PDB file of all heavy atoms in Angstrom:
ATOM      1  N   ASP A 338      24.460  81.412 -19.466  1.00  0.00           N
ATOM      2  CA  ASP A 338      24.009  82.499 -18.600  1.00  0.00           C
ATOM      3  C   ASP A 338      24.189  82.088 -17.153  1.00  0.00           C
ATOM      4  O   ASP A 338      24.234  80.897 -16.821  1.00  0.00           O
ATOM      5  CB  ASP A 338      22.546  82.843 -18.873  1.00  0.00           C
ATOM      6  CG  ASP A 338      21.612  81.692 -18.557  1.00  0.00           C
ATOM      7  OD1 ASP A 338      21.748  80.634 -19.221  1.00  0.00           O
ATOM      8  OD2 ASP A 338      20.783  81.817 -17.649  1.00  0.00           O
ATOM      9  N   LEU A 339      24.305  83.084 -16.275  1.00  0.00           N
ATOM     10  CA  LEU A 339      24.606  82.812 -14.872  1.00  0.00           C
ATOM     11  C   LEU A 339      23.501  82.006 -14.208  1.00  0.00           C
ATOM     12  O   LEU A 339      23.783  81.018 -13.519  1.00  0.00           O
ATOM     13  CB  LEU A 339      24.822  84.131 -14.126  1.00  0.00           C
ATOM     14  CG  LEU A 339      25.094  84.001 -12.623  1.00  0.00           C
ATOM     15  CD1 LEU A 339      26.364  83.220 -12.370  1.00  0.00           C
ATOM     16  CD2 LEU A 339      25.162  85.378 -11.963  1.00  0.00           C
ATOM     17  N   ASP A 340      22.252  82.386 -14.383  1.00  0.00           N
ATOM     18  CA  ASP A 340      21.168  81.670 -13.723  1.00  0.00           C
ATOM     19  C   ASP A 340      21.102  80.219 -14.173  1.00  0.00           C
ATOM     20  O   ASP A 340      20.883  79.313 -13.364  1.00  0.00           O
ATOM     21  CB  ASP A 340      19.837  82.369 -13.997  1.00  0.00           C
ATOM     22  CG  ASP A 340      19.721  83.696 -13.262  1.00  0.00           C
ATOM     23  OD1 ASP A 340      20.417  83.848 -12.239  1.00  0.00           O
ATOM     24  OD2 ASP A 340      18.954  84.569 -13.705  1.00  0.00           O
ATOM     25  N   GLY A 341      21.287  79.994 -15.472  1.00  0.00           N
ATOM     26  CA  GLY A 341      21.290  78.617 -15.964  1.00  0.00           C
ATOM     27  C   GLY A 341      22.433  77.806 -15.397  1.00  0.00           C
ATOM     28  O   GLY A 341      22.270  76.623 -15.051  1.00  0.00           O
ATOM     29  N   LEU A 342      23.622  78.414 -15.287  1.00  0.00           N
ATOM     30  CA  LEU A 342      24.777  77.714 -14.734  1.00  0.00           C
ATOM     31  C   LEU A 342      24.565  77.382 -13.263  1.00  0.00           C
ATOM     32  O   LEU A 342      24.871  76.261 -12.815  1.00  0.00           O
ATOM     33  CB  LEU A 342      26.023  78.585 -14.908  1.00  0.00           C
ATOM     34  CG  LEU A 342      27.326  78.027 -14.342  1.00  0.00           C
ATOM     35  CD1 LEU A 342      27.697  76.715 -15.023  1.00  0.00           C
ATOM     36  CD2 LEU A 342      28.461  79.038 -14.499  1.00  0.00           C
ATOM     37  N   LEU A 343      24.032  78.313 -12.497  1.00  0.00           N
ATOM     38  CA  LEU A 343      23.811  78.058 -11.073  1.00  0.00           C
ATOM     39  C   LEU A 343      22.745  76.989 -10.862  1.00  0.00           C
ATOM     40  O   LEU A 343      22.887  76.126  -9.985  1.00  0.00           O
ATOM     41  CB  LEU A 343      23.406  79.357 -10.368  1.00  0.00           C
ATOM     42  CG  LEU A 343      24.429  80.496 -10.407  1.00  0.00           C
ATOM     43  CD1 LEU A 343      23.914  81.698  -9.634  1.00  0.00           C
ATOM     44  CD2 LEU A 343      25.767  80.048  -9.847  1.00  0.00           C
ATOM     45  N   GLN A 344      21.676  77.047 -11.661  1.00  0.00           N
ATOM     46  CA  GLN A 344      20.630  76.042 -11.504  1.00  0.00           C
ATOM     47  C   GLN A 344      21.149  74.658 -11.867  1.00  0.00           C
ATOM     48  O   GLN A 344      20.847  73.663 -11.196  1.00  0.00           O
ATOM     49  CB  GLN A 344      19.416  76.407 -12.375  1.00  0.00           C
ATOM     50  CG  GLN A 344      18.171  75.588 -12.085  1.00  0.00           C
ATOM     51  CD  GLN A 344      17.650  75.771 -10.672  1.00  0.00           C
ATOM     52  OE1 GLN A 344      17.738  76.867 -10.120  1.00  0.00           O
ATOM     53  NE2 GLN A 344      17.142  74.716 -10.069  1.00  0.00           N
ATOM     54  N   ARG A 345      21.928  74.584 -12.946  1.00  0.00           N
ATOM     55  CA  ARG A 345      22.520  73.300 -13.316  1.00  0.00           C
ATOM     56  C   ARG A 345      23.453  72.800 -12.212  1.00  0.00           C
ATOM     57  O   ARG A 345      23.513  71.596 -11.922  1.00  0.00           O
ATOM     58  CB  ARG A 345      23.306  73.470 -14.626  1.00  0.00           C
ATOM     59  CG  ARG A 345      23.978  72.205 -15.150  1.00  0.00           C
ATOM     60  CD  ARG A 345      23.019  71.344 -15.940  1.00  0.00           C
ATOM     61  NE  ARG A 345      22.527  72.039 -17.114  1.00  0.00           N
ATOM     62  CZ  ARG A 345      23.178  72.082 -18.290  1.00  0.00           C
ATOM     63  NH1 ARG A 345      24.343  71.488 -18.420  1.00  0.00           N
ATOM     64  NH2 ARG A 345      22.650  72.704 -19.314  1.00  0.00           N
ATOM     65  N   THR A 346      24.184  73.719 -11.576  1.00  0.00           N
ATOM     66  CA  THR A 346      25.121  73.335 -10.524  1.00  0.00           C
ATOM     67  C   THR A 346      24.402  72.704  -9.337  1.00  0.00           C
ATOM     68  O   THR A 346      24.803  71.644  -8.829  1.00  0.00           O
ATOM     69  CB  THR A 346      25.926  74.562 -10.061  1.00  0.00           C
ATOM     70  OG1 THR A 346      26.694  75.066 -11.158  1.00  0.00           O
ATOM     71  CG2 THR A 346      26.860  74.201  -8.925  1.00  0.00           C
ATOM     72  N   VAL A 347      23.318  73.332  -8.846  1.00  0.00           N
ATOM     73  CA  VAL A 347      22.642  72.784  -7.671  1.00  0.00           C
ATOM     74  C   VAL A 347      21.963  71.460  -8.009  1.00  0.00           C
ATOM     75  O   VAL A 347      21.907  70.547  -7.163  1.00  0.00           O
ATOM     76  CB  VAL A 347      21.635  73.801  -7.090  1.00  0.00           C
ATOM     77  CG1 VAL A 347      22.350  75.041  -6.573  1.00  0.00           C
ATOM     78  CG2 VAL A 347      20.574  74.193  -8.113  1.00  0.00           C
ATOM     79  N   GLU A 348      21.456  71.330  -9.235  1.00  0.00           N
ATOM     80  CA  GLU A 348      20.830  70.062  -9.596  1.00  0.00           C
ATOM     81  C   GLU A 348      21.861  68.942  -9.644  1.00  0.00           C
ATOM     82  O   GLU A 348      21.607  67.823  -9.162  1.00  0.00           O
ATOM     83  CB  GLU A 348      20.116  70.212 -10.939  1.00  0.00           C
ATOM     84  CG  GLU A 348      18.891  71.120 -10.881  1.00  0.00           C
ATOM     85  CD  GLU A 348      18.350  71.441 -12.264  1.00  0.00           C
ATOM     86  OE1 GLU A 348      18.968  70.984 -13.252  1.00  0.00           O
ATOM     87  OE2 GLU A 348      17.325  72.139 -12.359  1.00  0.00           O
ATOM     88  N   ARG A 349      23.041  69.215 -10.217  1.00  0.00           N
ATOM     89  CA  ARG A 349      24.089  68.197 -10.274  1.00  0.00           C
ATOM     90  C   ARG A 349      24.643  67.875  -8.892  1.00  0.00           C
ATOM     91  O   ARG A 349      24.958  66.719  -8.586  1.00  0.00           O
ATOM     92  CB  ARG A 349      25.211  68.668 -11.201  1.00  0.00           C
ATOM     93  CG  ARG A 349      24.791  68.722 -12.666  1.00  0.00           C
ATOM     94  CD  ARG A 349      24.338  67.333 -13.150  1.00  0.00           C
ATOM     95  NE  ARG A 349      23.884  67.361 -14.522  1.00  0.00           N
ATOM     96  CZ  ARG A 349      24.670  67.235 -15.587  1.00  0.00           C
ATOM     97  NH1 ARG A 349      25.975  67.097 -15.416  1.00  0.00           N
ATOM     98  NH2 ARG A 349      24.185  67.249 -16.792  1.00  0.00           N
ATOM     99  N   ALA A 350      24.775  68.905  -8.041  1.00  0.00           N
ATOM    100  CA  ALA A 350      25.274  68.660  -6.689  1.00  0.00           C
ATOM    101  C   ALA A 350      24.291  67.792  -5.900  1.00  0.00           C
ATOM    102  O   ALA A 350      24.694  66.873  -5.173  1.00  0.00           O
ATOM    103  CB  ALA A 350      25.514  69.989  -5.975  1.00  0.00           C
ATOM    104  N   ARG A 351      22.996  68.067  -6.035  1.00  0.00           N
ATOM    105  CA  ARG A 351      21.990  67.250  -5.356  1.00  0.00           C
ATOM    106  C   ARG A 351      22.063  65.794  -5.832  1.00  0.00           C
ATOM    107  O   ARG A 351      22.028  64.846  -5.029  1.00  0.00           O
ATOM    108  CB  ARG A 351      20.601  67.814  -5.613  1.00  0.00           C
ATOM    109  CG  ARG A 351      19.468  67.026  -4.989  1.00  0.00           C
ATOM    110  CD  ARG A 351      18.138  67.421  -5.574  1.00  0.00           C
ATOM    111  NE  ARG A 351      18.092  67.166  -7.003  1.00  0.00           N
ATOM    112  CZ  ARG A 351      17.073  67.493  -7.792  1.00  0.00           C
ATOM    113  NH1 ARG A 351      16.029  68.117  -7.279  1.00  0.00           N
ATOM    114  NH2 ARG A 351      17.114  67.227  -9.081  1.00  0.00           N
TER     115      ARG A 351
END
Side-chain angles (χ1 to χ4, degrees):
D338 63 297
L339 178 62
D340 289 336
L342 178 61
L343 299 182
Q344 191 62 35
R345 180 83 62 85
T346 298
V347 296
E348 291 170 358
R349 291 301 178 86
R351 178 195 61 184

